[in-house]
Structures are given as C-alpha cells and as structure tokens.
C-alpha cells in the first residue's frame, strides 16, 4: 500500500529534507526541523503523488487516503492533547500548500480549519478565556476559506474588486470606520463576533452556499482547494516564468494551529539567517508583528517591526523616525521579548550549521512560546548570492568548490549591470525614500498597473511599475518592468520577495507615495506624476527620484572578485568575447575575457563615409567580375582582349579605388582592437553578410546614394533588385563573397596584418566564414597567404614578428561532417552555433518565432535551441567535428562563438566535449567563467576527467 501521509512533530518525523519531490519543500523541511529538535507544531504531509492522482482522476483521491489521514490526524490529537472538532478543547489545523520548489504566494493556504459554531467558545475558553482570539481566528477562516475553497477552487472568476475576499474586507473596513479605529487589533471580541455573523451572511448571499460548519468538511475542502491551486492561473504563469515543470504537483501540509494572535505576548514573523539583499549578517535580519497571524506580515496590512535592535535602528533612520518614537511604537523583538529573541537567534545559528545555507524562516510566538513554521533556502539577490558563498567558504561552512557551485551563473547578470552615476544621483530630485527592497538602479516611465507595464514594455519602452502593493496577479507586469515601486509593505512583502527573486530593482513601502489607480497618477510630497513620467529608483538605498539618472558600470571587486578568482582557479575552458569595437573589447577584458573569439568586420563598413566607398565597390563589383571572366575567355585573341580591357578600365578603377579607401580605415579599426586587447589573441572574421545588406532599400536612401555615386536612381534600384535573393541566408555571402571577389579578402587580410605589425603583441587569427567544403577554405587561405607574402616582401621582413592563424567558422553541417578534411587546411575551428543551429535543425532564425514556442511547449525541443545548445543534434555535430578535426590536426584550436557561448548549460556542454574556449558578449563573460568552473567541478566530482584537453589553453 502506497504511503500518502507522512507525520511530523513531537521530536520525530517520517520525512526528511531530501524528500522534497514527494513532500514538497515545506513538508520536507518541517520534517527535518522536527528531526533536529526544533519546536514545530505537529502535523502531516499529504504527498505530491496524491496531487498528481487528483489531477489525473478529475478530483478523486486514491482509495486509502481517507484512512491514512484519519490515522495521522489522531496522532496530532494525541501530541496536542486536543481533539479536532471537540467543543471544549478543539484542535485547529492549517492546510498549507508546498511544492518541490517554493512558489511564494502563488498557491493557497487556509488557517484555523476546524472552527465551527460548536468549537468557537471552546477555543476561547481553552486559550485562557480569550474570546477575541477565537473570533479573530474565525473571521480569518471565513475570509480565507470562502476565497480559496468556495470561490477560486470552484472556478468562479468575479471581476476585480467583486471577489468574496474584497467584499468581506469591505465589511471589515466599514466596521472599523464605525468604531473609529484604524487597526484590526483595535476591534473588540464583540466587534469581531458581529463581523463574523456579517461574513457568514455575505458568503451565503454572494456564493449561494452556507459557510460549512463541519470540521471534516472544512478539512477536505481545504485539501482539495490546495491541490487545485496548483493549476490556478497565477501559479501557472509563475511556473512558466520560472521554468518549473507543470507536472510536479504540490503537497499539502496539515498542521496544528498555533496562535500568534492571542495577545501582546504573542507574535508572528519572518526572518532570514542572513540579509537576502546584501548577504550581510551583522545582525539578525527579519520582521515581526505583535498579536497577529502569519499572513499579516506578508500581506503588508500593518508595518512590521524589525527583529533585532540594530536592524530596527537602521530601519528607523531610513524612515526618518526618531529613536524615542521607534522605541515606543516600533520596538524590536529583541526589546519586547528578549528571551524568545535569544532562543530564535540560537535556532538561526543551528539552522545555518545544519543546512549550510542561508535560510528563510517563519515563526510564531503563542503566549511566550516559540514555534517554527517553515524554513527554506532563502531567495536572494545576486550580490547576496556571491557574498554568502564567499563568506560561508571563509567561515568553513562550505569549501571553495561548493562556493563556486552556489552562485547561479545567470544571476551575475544583475551585478554586471549599471548602477547610478553618483554625481548625477546627487543632483537628482529626491521625492521620497522607501525600503531598499531589492538592489540595483532603474530609470523608466512610470505605469500603475501590470497590464500597462506589459503592454508598454512590449513596445520597447522601459517602465517602472508603481503599485500600492503588489499581489501575485501582478507577476507578468513585474517581470516586464525595469523596476518596481510600492507604497505599502515591508522587506518581506510580495513585491520585495518577488523582485529579489527576479533580480529586479525594487523600492517597497514608500509610505509618502499616494497612488491613484483611477487617474493613473501618484502624488508624493505635493508633486504629481502622471503615467509615462520618468522616475528613477535606487533599490540599494530606497530612494525615489523624479526624472532620469545617468548610470555607469558596476564595481567588480570584493566578493565578486573572489568568486571570479575561484572560478578561474577551477575552470579549464578559456573564455573569450565577441567584440567589434575597442570599447567592447576593453569592457570584456575588464570582465576577464582572455581574447576575442569573434570580431565581425561588417559593422565597420557602416561607419561614417565608409559605406559610400563600399557602395561604390558594390556598384561595379559584378561588372568587374564579368569583364574579367570575358578577358580570360578571350585568351590569346589580342583583339578581343583589348576591347574587354578597355571596357574594364573605368569600373576596375572605381573598384580598386574603393578598396584603397577602405584599407586604411579597416586597418585603424584593427589597430584599436589589438591595442585594447593588450597581447591577447583576436579572431577576426572576414566579411560575412550578403552585399544587398549594404544597400539602401528605401526611396530616400536610394536617392541619396544616387546623388553620392552620381548614377541615376534607376540604376541603383536595378542593382538592389539584382542583388535581391530568395534565401539570402543561404545565398551569396560568407566565403562565397571572397571567392567571387578575392580582392575584398585580400584587402581585409592586408588591413589585419598591417595593423598587427603596428601594435606590439598583436595576435591575429583570420577566420573564413561559412565554408561547407574544404576547397572553399583553401582558396581563401591562398589569397590570405599571398597577401601576407606580399607584405613580407615589401617590408623586407624575413618573417612576420607574430604568428597568424588561419581558420574557419564551422556553421554549415557539411563542414562539421567533413571536419577531418577541413582541418587539413584550418588551424582553428570556431563553431558559429547560431547558423549551425539554423541549418542543423532547419529552423530559419528569422521565422522560427512563429512555431518554436509551440515546439518547446509540446516538448519537441526541451528548450529553444537558439538559446540553449541542442545537445542531442547540433551538439553532436560540434562533438563530432571536434574529434574529426583533432584527429587530422592534434593542435587544432577549437572554440564556439555563437550566442550559446554565454549560456550556462551550453558552456557546460562545451566543457564536456573538450573545446578550448567559449566566446560571448562582454557582459556575459563573467557568467561564462563561472559556468565553466561549475562544469569543471561537477565533471571532476563525477569522476570523469575532462575528455581530451587536460590543460587549459588560451
Ligand atoms: P506560504 O507558502 O504562502 O508562505 P504558508 O503555508 O507558509 O504559506 O502559510 C501562510 C501563513 O500562515 C504563514 O505566515 C505561516 O507562518 C502561517 N501558518 C501556517 N500554518 C500555521 C500554523 N499551523 N499555525 C500558525 N500559523 C501558521
Ligand atoms: Mg510560508
Ligand atoms: Mg554565421
């Protein structure tokens, strides 16, 4: 018989932390905490298998579940000394969702299950005659249960503001107004009782069903609703964004309730064992609320207080609150309950030692007794990732390798992006300060709802999403926004947690900001801002500014530098960059690039007047070619030859003049790049795109060209027409241009070599693009070698003072398949995996958008093969070509220069098949370095030494 319910509590548990697949993260860790002796209210976890069964069987449970739940429930009753549904000393339960990976706020939880007309008085009596507590709990039960079970799980989708939850909240607001109080805690027991009666009536009226008054009915209603919430709209959206599989399912945790709302010796809170924004751990970082239940902290209903005194002081300073006010109104837990604080601080240390990672915890204090309700590995910003990994390695909690493995390479992106320029920030108009909820800097146009954020962003605008507070429904808009601003909520509010997870700049709880959704505007300190106005956020300080602020590149020292040094220590794979300008090359070198893996030369043809020269060349290129062929055909007929030569003279002059104009300009470009590289190698790709890309396609442009070239517009149009190709990607481009027009190849080779002769330490590598046949390469190589020979002779050099490698890009499957032949001529390979994917999979890079999404959704390809290298197909070509090539030429240098070179999973693959280096855009260089180190460490750990290249080559 399969086991469906796992018990925990009372110092033991049937589950462990390793059983997340079955018990979900929450359940597995509740079990683990019980195991290591932490005070966890007892309960049991219903497995994810039941969820999967439930979904497949259309809402039915496995046969034995009821019996197993009954038994587990009885065990809790024994441990708690209370009975579920008992009128005198009733036991209440929370029913909590919990998937394998945490999905904060995405799924449902219902508290206080088991409160009925028969048990309310008993609860009050058994909790020290606390009627207020009982009615407060009942009010919460009705709110959560009617929303989660009776509305959402029943598939009802009322329009915004018409849902049962907001109607109930309305009723509560009305009552508060009537009683002239501001806070929930100021309502009396009688108030709450009246409110509960109103609630029950409202539920019946709106949902046309009475609120269930039977504990078991409530329990099973809650369990079913949690399972259903797995397929709720926002949960599905969240999984799509985070790449979490839809077939995992959630577990359900049924746990004895403890009451943080039983008076002023009670509280509830969330905390982190280290600061999730910065990684610091100088004090205990977290927030709590007196006399409240858990949901209140996250919901941002009241402003939570800091746990530690130091944290509380920092917070007050940030909020401009005087110390005296702070002590009276917002004291820390350290001050209000010093004994419990010390106990909690001890648990913090114990958890870190046990899990060897930063934990995110939930706790509740019931009349002075501390209970742990959750622990999980805490989400954190990239900065915190790096700092915590480095610190923990220094503290000896983890070793160096583990530290390298701890930082997700993709997260580094956040650290590499610009921060505000300090001087510009000082001058900017500060509107107010909120909480520094997620670091970074953002400038954008403000919008006030998630849909607008998505719409505007899709039009290419940068937006900042401002909300009073965010809720899980806003997830799409938050994802689209550059930064997030909220008027309400603390450091653990929904906005803050989600923004940190997304690595997005966020200022939360900026209390002075008054947002009016109706008029799409906000006011702050008497200043009004409309939708579309520019604002700037500093997520590291909490500052909100009007207008735009200049940004600059981040600092790469400190813990970041340490992690990068460690990465370099462990990686075998070299990391180069794709850069076309000296500036890009400099940035990349600062980020640790060991050279350039791809310089595209075509961009250089567009700068300034060069395009004019190049267009002159294109204008006559074909004529030159045709006449030359005629000349050859004329052979020993001097008469005919003379005639052709005469026709050829003018176009040839223009052709050669254009080349002569381009040569010094190209040479200058290369000199700049060589200089920026300071002795590092540089792979330069010869001209690649089809010629028509260099011609104007609109009337205005063609007219201008006609003026510049002094030829009729008609002729230009005819040329554009003639160069038009049906399938330019497979047309006259790449080495095919150099084969037809060898002088272009010669000019580029000359520019490269002459530049290298000018810059000390230059290490040029000339790359011929788009070959499919070794003969294409050898023809081009001949042209390059002749050019080199010519330069050498003219300069009377015995040999060049540097080595020139001549190699090719492998981007056509035929080249990969015949790599052994290609390597006879090529001294290096560089896989152009963008084109290799296009041609290998047969997906047009420009048109695949129409169907690739479906392909991924249907699981035909697990990931978009243009983003993540398709190991099974394109990867096989890479692997095979590498082996074949090295068989012919053992010293063959092999790298990759497609988009994949900066994508962690693809980098890992490149390590596994023994490439020498990957090359990626400058900002991805650190990511590639770290990904390469992780691949090497994992590889070693799997006891498979790197396949071919034991030593790293640059
Ligand atoms: P989430 O995954 O959204 O955080 P949880 O299942 O953790 O949802 O529950 C929501 C809130 O209810 C949390 O603050 C939690 O601490 C509180 N809570 C859950 N179970 C109990 C319980 N048995 N007693 C008291 N509070 C609880
Ligand atoms: Mg929780
Ligand atoms: Mg290409």
């Amino acid at each position: 018989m399969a086991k469906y319910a796992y018990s925990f509590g009372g110092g033991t548990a049937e589950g462990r932390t390793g059983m997340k697949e079955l018990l979900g993260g929450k359940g597995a860790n509740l079990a683990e905490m019980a195991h290591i002796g932490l005070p966890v209210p007892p309960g049991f976890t219903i497995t994810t298998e039941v969820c999967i069964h439930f979904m497949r069987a259309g809402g039915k449970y496995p046969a034995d579940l009821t019996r197993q739940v009954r038994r587990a429930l009885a065990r809790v009753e024994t441990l708690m000394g209370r009975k579920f549904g008992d009128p005198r000393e009733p036991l209440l339960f929370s029913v909590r969702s919990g998937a394998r990976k945490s999905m904060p706020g995405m799924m449902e939880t219902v508290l206080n299950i088991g409160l009925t007309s028969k048990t309310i008085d008993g609860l009050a009596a058994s909790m020290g005659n606390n009627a207020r507590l009982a009615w407060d709990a009942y009010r919460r039960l009705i709110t959560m249960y009617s929303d989660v079970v009776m509305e959402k799980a029943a598939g009802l989708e009322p329009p915004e503001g018409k849902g049962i939850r907001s109607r109930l909240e309305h009723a509560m607001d009305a009552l508060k107004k009537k009683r002239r109080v501001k806070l929930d805690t100021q309502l009396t027991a009688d108030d709450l009782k009246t409110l509960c009666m109103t609630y029950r009536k409202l539920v019946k009226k709106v949902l046309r069903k009475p609120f269930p008054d039977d504990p078991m009915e409530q329990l099973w209603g809650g369990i079913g609703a949690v399972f259903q919430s797995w397929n709720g709209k926002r949960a599905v959206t969240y999984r799509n964004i985070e790449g979490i599989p839809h077939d995992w399912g959630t577990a359900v945790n049924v746990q004895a309730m403890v009451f943080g709302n039983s008076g002023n010796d009670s509280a509830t809170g969330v905390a982190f064992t280290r600061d999730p924004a910065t990684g610091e751990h100088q004090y205990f970082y977290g927030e709590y609320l007196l006399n409240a239940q858990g949901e209140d902290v996250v919901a941002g209903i009241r402003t939570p207080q800091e746990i530690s005194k130091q944290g509380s002081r920092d917070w007050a300073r940030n909020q401009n609150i005087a110390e005296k006010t702070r002590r009276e109104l917002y004291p820390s837990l350290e001050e209000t309950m010093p004994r419990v604080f010390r106990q909690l601080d001890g648990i913090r240390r114990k958890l870190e030692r046990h899990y060897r990672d930063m934990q995110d915890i939930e706790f509740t204090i019931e009349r002075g007794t501390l209970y742990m309700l959750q622990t999980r590995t805490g989400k954190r910003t990239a900065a915190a990732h790096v700092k915590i990994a480095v610190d923990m390695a220094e503290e000896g909690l983890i070793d160096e390798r583990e530290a390298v493995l701890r930082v997700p390479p993709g997260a580094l992106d956040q650290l590499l992006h610009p921060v505000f320029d300090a001087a510009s920030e000082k001058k900017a108009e500060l509107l107010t300060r909120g909480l520094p909820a997620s670091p970074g800097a953002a400038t954008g146009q403000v919008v006030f709802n998630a849909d607008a954020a998505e719409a505007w962003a899709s039009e290419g605008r940068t937006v900042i999403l401002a909300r009073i507070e965010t809720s899980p429904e806003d997830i799409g808009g938050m994802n689209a926004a550059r930064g997030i601003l909220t008027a309400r909520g603390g450091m653990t509010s929904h906005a803050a947690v989600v923004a940190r997870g997304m690595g997005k700049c966020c200022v939360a709880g900026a209390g002075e900001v008054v947002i009016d959704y109706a008029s799409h505007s906000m006011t702050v300190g008497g200043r009004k801002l409309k939708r579309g106005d520019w604002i700037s956020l500093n997520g590291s300080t909490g500052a909100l500014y009007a207008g735009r602020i200049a940004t600059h590149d981040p600092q790469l020292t400190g813990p970041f530098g340490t992690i990068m040094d460690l990465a370099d220590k462990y990686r075998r794979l070299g990391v180069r960059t794709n850069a076309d300008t000296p500036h890009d090359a400099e940035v990349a070198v600062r980020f640790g690039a060991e050279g350039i893996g791809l310089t595209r030369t075509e961009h250089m043809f567009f700068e300034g007047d060069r395009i004019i020269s190049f267009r002159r060349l294109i204008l006559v290129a074909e004529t030159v070619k045709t006449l030359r062929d005629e000349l050859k055909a004329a052979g020993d007929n001097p008469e005919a030859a003379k005639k052709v030569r005469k026709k050829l003279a003018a176009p040839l002059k223009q052709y050669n003049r254009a080349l002569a104009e381009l040569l010094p300009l190209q040479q200058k470009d290369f000199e700049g790049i060589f200089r920026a590289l300071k002795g590092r190698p540089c792979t330069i790709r010869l001209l690649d795109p089809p010629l028509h890309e260099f011609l104007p396609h609109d009337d205005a442009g063609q007219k201008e060209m006609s003026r510049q070239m002094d030829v009729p517009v008609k002729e230009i149009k005819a040329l554009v027409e003639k160069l038009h190709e049906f399938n330019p990607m497979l047309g006259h481009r790449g080495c095919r241009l150099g084969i037809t027009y060898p002088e272009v190849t010669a000019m580029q080779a000359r520019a490269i070599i002459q530049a290298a002769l000018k810059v000390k330490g230059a290490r040029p590598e000339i790359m011929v693009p788009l070959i499919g046949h070794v003969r294409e390469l050898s023809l081009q190589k001949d042209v390059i070698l002749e050019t080199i020979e010519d330069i050498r002779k003219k300069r009377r050099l015995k040999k060049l003072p540097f080595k020139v490698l001549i190699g090719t890009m492998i981007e056509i499957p035929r080249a990969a398949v015949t790599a052994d032949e290609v390597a006879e001529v090529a001294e290096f390979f560089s896989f152009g995996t963008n084109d290799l994917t296009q041609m290998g999979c047969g997906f047009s890079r420009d048109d695949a958008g129409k169907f690739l999404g479906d392909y991924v959704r249907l699981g035909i390809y697990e990931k978009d093969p243009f983003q993540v290298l398709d190991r099974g197909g394109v990867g096989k070509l890479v692997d095979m070509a590498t082996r074949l090539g090295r068989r012919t030429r053992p010293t063959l240098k092999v790298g990759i220069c497609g988009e994949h070179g900066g994508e962690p999973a693809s980098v890992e693959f490149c390590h596994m098949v023994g490439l020498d280096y990957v090359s990626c855009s400058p900002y991805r260089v650190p990511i590639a370095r770290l990904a390469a180190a992780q691949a090497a460490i994992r590889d070693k750990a799997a006891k498979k030494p790197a396949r071919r290249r034991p030593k790293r080559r640059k």
Side-chain angles (χ1 to χ4, degrees):
M1 182 65 65
K3 188 167 173 60
Y4 298 126
Y6 287 72
S7 293
F8 57 82
T12 60
E14 293 175 321
R16 284 310 286 256
T17 187
M19 296 165 69
K20 292 202 176 82
E21 284 177 28
L22 195 62
L23 304 181
K26 202 179 283 167
N29 283 329
L30 281 169
E32 190 74 11
M33 284 199 293
H35 251 302
I36 61 175
L38 301 189
V40 177
F44 55 93
T45 305
I46 303 175
T47 67
T48 54
E49 278 173 12
V50 176
C51 182
I52 294 163
H53 182 284
F54 181 85
M55 290 190 290
R56 293 212 180 117
K60 286 208 185 64
Y61 295 116
D64 195 43
L65 182 68
T66 327
R67 191 187 60 88
Q68 294 192 24
V69 164
R70 217 181 299 124
R71 276 187 46 189
L73 198 146
R75 185 174 175 273
V76 181
E77 289 178 332
T78 312
L79 282 169
M80 293 294 286
R82 283 169 175 265
K83 279 199 154 30
F84 190 53
D86 181 38
R88 280 186 326 179
E89 283 187 89
L91 172 63
L92 303 194
F93 283 115
S94 64
V95 173
R96 320 171 64 188
S97 56
R100 202 186 295 186
K101 252 194 181 165
S102 98
M103 299 166 51
M106 289 301 134
M107 286 183 309
E108 308 296 353
T109 285
V110 183
L111 304 182
N112 307 324
I113 290 228
L115 267 184
T116 64
S117 50
K118 292 201 187 67
T119 58
I120 291 176
D121 291 340
L123 179 70
S126 62
M127 294 293 291
N129 273 327
N130 193 338
R132 195 190 177 284
L133 158 75
W135 289 107
D136 186 44
Y138 194 45
R139 144 188 96 82
R140 291 167 188 275
L141 170 67
I142 302 176
T143 310
M144 283 186 252
Y145 194 93
S146 61
D147 174 38
V148 172
V149 186
M150 301 175 75
E151 189 172 272
K152 286 211 180 82
L156 303 175
E157 286 182 19
E160 206 183 307
K162 298 280 177 207
I164 186 70
R165 185 182 274 265
S166 32
R167 284 176 197 255
L168 297 182
E169 276 164 6
H170 242 88
M172 172 139 128
D173 287 342
L175 182 68
K176 280 203 274 190
K177 217 174 205 168
K178 208 163 134 200
R179 297 282 183 268
R180 293 173 204 235
V181 297
K182 268 199 161 153
L183 300 175
D184 309 359
T185 40
Q186 293 167 304
L187 291 172
T188 64
D190 281 340
D191 289 339
L192 290 167
K193 183 173 176 177
T194 319
L195 192 62
C196 287
M197 294 309 137
T198 315
Y199 273 20
R200 291 183 53 149
K201 273 188 213 133
L202 262 172
V203 167
K204 191 159 180 200
K205 195 176 123 209
V206 176
L207 300 171
R208 302 213 170 82
K209 260 193 213 156
F211 186 76
D213 205 32
D214 173 66
M216 270 300 172
E217 185 186 344
Q218 288 178 1
L219 180 65
W220 285 103
I223 292 171
V226 169
F227 282 144
Q228 281 196 347
S229 71
W230 175 257
N231 280 331
K233 226 197 244 157
R234 52 196 165 118
V236 172
T237 310
Y238 183 84
R239 288 200 296 272
N240 284 336
I241 293 173
E242 297 286 313
I244 298 174
H246 295 294
D247 58 5
W248 280 1
T250 179
V252 174
N253 301 287
V254 177
Q255 187 177 27
M257 280 301 300
V258 289
F259 301 95
N261 55 334
S262 45
N264 276 332
D265 52 356
S266 301
T268 183
V270 285
F272 296 91
T273 56
R274 300 187 189 217
D275 185 338
T278 63
E280 293 290 350
H281 58 122
Q282 283 157 358
Y283 52 79
F284 193 178
Y285 182 94
E287 294 168 337
Y288 79 105
L289 278 176
L290 279 176
N291 197 11
Q293 275 196 333
E295 18 136 33
D296 298 350
V297 185
V298 198
I301 293 167
R302 277 192 270 155
T303 304
Q305 291 153 235
E306 292 288 320
I307 289 193
S308 66
K309 192 167 166 188
Q310 182 63 45
S312 178
R313 284 190 165 152
D314 285 0
W315 168 84
R317 199 171 320 116
N318 227 312
Q319 300 279 309
N320 268 326
I321 290 172
E323 171 62 11
K324 189 160 165 281
T325 320
R326 181 197 73 77
R327 228 180 305 132
E328 276 163 18
L329 295 181
Y330 312 103
S332 65
L333 185 70
E334 192 171 357
E335 292 156 297
T336 51
M337 303 185 198
R339 189 187 52 79
V340 181
F341 172 82
R342 275 195 304 278
Q343 188 191 354
L344 189 61
D345 198 36
I347 288 177
R348 159 172 91 118
R349 286 164 213 278
K350 185 162 185 180
L351 281 172
E352 271 216 346
R353 269 198 312 275
H354 186 72
Y355 283 97
R356 297 161 51 248
D357 202 352
M358 186 266 273
Q359 297 293 298
D360 167 352
I361 59 184
E362 289 177 10
F363 63 91
T364 281
I365 302 160
E366 178 185 301
R367 294 191 285 179
T369 306
L370 174 66
Y371 293 96
M372 298 304 295
L373 289 174
Q374 191 170 331
T375 188
R376 62 182 170 213
T377 300
K379 296 209 174 188
R380 61 201 84 176
T381 62
H385 257 305
V386 172
K387 170 119 180 87
I388 291 172
V390 169
D391 283 354
M392 286 196 164
E394 261 162 33
E395 292 159 26
L397 274 174
I398 56 178
D399 67 14
E400 277 183 355
R401 287 182 188 82
E402 178 86 45
V404 170
L405 290 175
R406 282 281 172 92
V407 181
L412 294 184
D413 212 21
Q414 283 178 51
L415 299 180
L416 305 173
H417 281 290
V419 290
F420 284 140
D421 169 67
S424 315
E425 185 172 8
K426 221 174 218 159
K427 273 185 261 151
E429 181 192 347
L430 179 70
L431 294 174
T432 185
R433 250 174 224 285
L435 299 171
S438 180
T443 285
Q445 291 176 278
V446 66
V447 296
F448 299 97
N449 65 59
D451 289 343
E454 285 189 79
W456 286 39
S458 73
E459 287 165 15
R461 293 193 255 194
T462 47
V463 297
I464 288 178
L465 176 63
R467 300 283 293 167
I468 297 171
E469 62 200 355
T470 63
S471 72
E473 273 87 1
D474 296 327
I475 192 100
M478 297 170 81
N479 195 36
R482 184 62 59 90
I484 295 155
L485 169 70
T486 64
R488 244 192 266 160
M491 291 295 276
T492 48
S493 63
H494 178 263
V497 172
V498 173
R500 281 197 296 270
M502 287 179 169
K504 202 149 277 192
C505 160
C506 174
V507 171
E512 285 176 35
V513 175
V514 180
I515 296 177
D516 180 32
Y517 291 142
S519 64
H520 295 287
S521 67
M522 66 184 198
T523 41
V524 45
R527 201 170 183 297
K528 185 163 178 174
L529 293 138
K530 302 182 306 298
R531 172 158 81 177
D533 285 347
W534 286 85
I535 59 170
S536 299
L537 304 177
N538 187 332
S540 313
T541 62
L544 165 66
Y545 302 97
R548 311 168 76 155
I549 302 179
T551 54
H552 70 72
D553 287 341
Q555 276 288 315
L556 301 176
T557 47
F560 181 88
T562 311
I563 276 289
M564 284 295 112
D565 288 347
L566 285 178
D568 290 348
K569 178 169 164 190
Y570 287 103
R571 79 188 152 95
R572 175 196 59 77
L573 207 53
V575 176
R576 294 196 188 186
T577 189
N578 298 349
D580 305 343
T581 64
H583 174 261
D584 283 359
E586 266 162 34
V587 171
V589 166
R590 236 184 312 127
F591 286 158
E594 295 158 314
I596 285 183
L598 174 64
T599 286
R600 300 176 182 85
T601 51
E602 51 268 20
H603 296 187
M604 304 172 178
F605 286 93
F606 282 101
E607 232 172 83
D609 289 344
R610 302 170 182 199
I611 188 70
I612 301 178
S613 305
F614 195 53
R615 284 173 177 172
R616 276 207 189 97
L617 180 141
I618 297 173
L619 206 54
V620 294
E622 211 180 78
T623 316
V624 169
K625 157 101 176 120
T626 326
L627 291 174
R628 274 186 175 158
D629 288 349
E630 277 179 35
L631 196 62
K632 247 184 229 141
D636 12 293
N637 180 345
E639 212 35 41
K642 197 172 153 197
K643 238 166 124 190
V644 180
R645 225 175 262 129
K646 207 170 147 200
K647 266 203 276 180
L648 181 61
L652 187 61
K653 193 169 153 205
Q654 180 169 340
Y655 184 78
N656 286 332
R657 197 185 112 194
L659 284 171
E661 281 168 3
L662 288 167
L663 174 67
L665 300 172
Q666 283 250 290
Q667 187 180 322
K668 271 252 146 53
D669 292 332
F670 297 137
E671 283 170 26
I673 290 175
F674 288 147
R675 239 172 241 124
L677 282 176
K678 301 202 173 77
R680 296 173 180 85
C682 180
T683 306
I684 298 167
R685 178 178 72 180
L686 300 178
L687 194 63
D688 183 57
L691 293 183
H692 76 87
E693 278 189 18
F694 297 94
L695 295 179
H697 288 89
D698 58 322
D699 282 340
Q702 292 175 348
K703 271 197 196 118
E704 198 193 334
M705 180 171 167
S706 113
R707 227 179 316 111
Q708 284 164 340
M709 312 272 124
D710 205 16
V711 285
V713 183
K714 249 185 25 210
E715 226 170 276
I716 307 274
K717 282 198 192 307
L719 177 69
V720 171
E721 198 65 17
K722 203 162 72 187
L723 288 178
H724 169 83
E725 293 177 319
F726 284 104
N727 200 342
M729 275 296 186
L730 303 178
H732 195 190
R733 55 171 286 223
C735 69
R736 299 157 199 180
L737 289 171
I739 302 239
T740 329
Y741 309 117
E743 296 82 1
V744 177
T745 301
M747 181 276 285
Q748 289 200 293
R750 186 173 292 274
I752 293 168
I753 302 302
Q754 292 182 0
L757 281 167
K758 276 212 151 158
V759 181
K760 222 178 123 219
R763 289 163 66 187
E765 302 174 351
I766 302 178
M767 178 155 75
V768 179
L770 209 79
I771 68 134
H773 197 292
V774 63
R775 279 294 293 153
E776 294 171 290
L777 178 62
S778 53
L779 281 171
Q780 288 289 288
K781 189 172 177 183
D782 288 347
V783 175
I784 297 165
L785 287 177
E786 275 161 28
T787 309
I788 294 177
E789 194 48 22
D790 185 57
I791 296 171
R792 192 190 61 77
K793 276 201 192 122
K794 281 208 178 103
R795 306 225 171 168
R796 292 173 215 251
L797 296 168
K798 238 163 98 196
K799 62 190 255 277
L800 293 184
F802 48 80
K803 193 164 161 36
V804 186
L805 291 186
I806 300 172
T808 186
M809 219 154 156
I810 304 283
E811 48 190 337
I812 290 183
R814 193 184 188 284
V817 174
T818 58
D820 46 349
E821 293 167 22
V822 177
E824 304 264 358
V825 183
E827 292 165 303
F828 66 87
F829 285 173
S830 175
F831 289 100
T833 47
N834 298 345
D835 268 330
L836 193 60
T837 300
Q838 167 165 267
M839 291 186 245
C841 300
F843 292 151
S844 159
R845 273 154 81 179
D846 307 302
D847 305 309
K850 287 184 196 145
F851 54 86
L852 256 187
D854 286 337
Y855 268 52
V856 174
R857 224 164 300 135
L858 290 169
I860 300 175
Y861 281 79
E862 199 185 325
K863 295 265 166 63
D864 177 344
F866 288 109
Q867 281 166 23
V868 180
L869 190 76
D870 157 42
R871 295 187 183 194
V874 177
K876 242 185 197 163
L877 285 172
V878 171
D879 186 15
M880 180 184 67
T882 306
R883 290 165 194 260
L884 285 176
R886 290 209 178 118
R887 202 180 294 158
T888 311
R889 188 189 289 264
T891 59
L892 188 77
K893 196 188 291 198
V894 186
I896 170 182
C897 62
E899 219 58 37
H900 301 100
E903 191 283 313
S906 312
V907 172
E908 179 183 47
F909 180 79
C910 293
H911 168 91
M912 278 162 26
V913 297
L915 298 199
D916 293 302
Y917 69 87
V918 295
S919 186
C920 57
S921 68
Y923 277 93
R924 304 212 55 98
V925 165
I927 296 172
R929 285 160 74 194
L930 183 57
Q934 294 185 348
I937 292 170
R938 282 199 208 102
D939 197 13
K940 267 244 170 70
K943 289 267 180 323
K944 272 184 290 170
R947 222 162 59 201
R948 273 181 293 268
R949 290 284 149 121
K951 236 180 64 212
R952 197 171 101 220
R953 305 174 78 229
K954 296 199 177 167

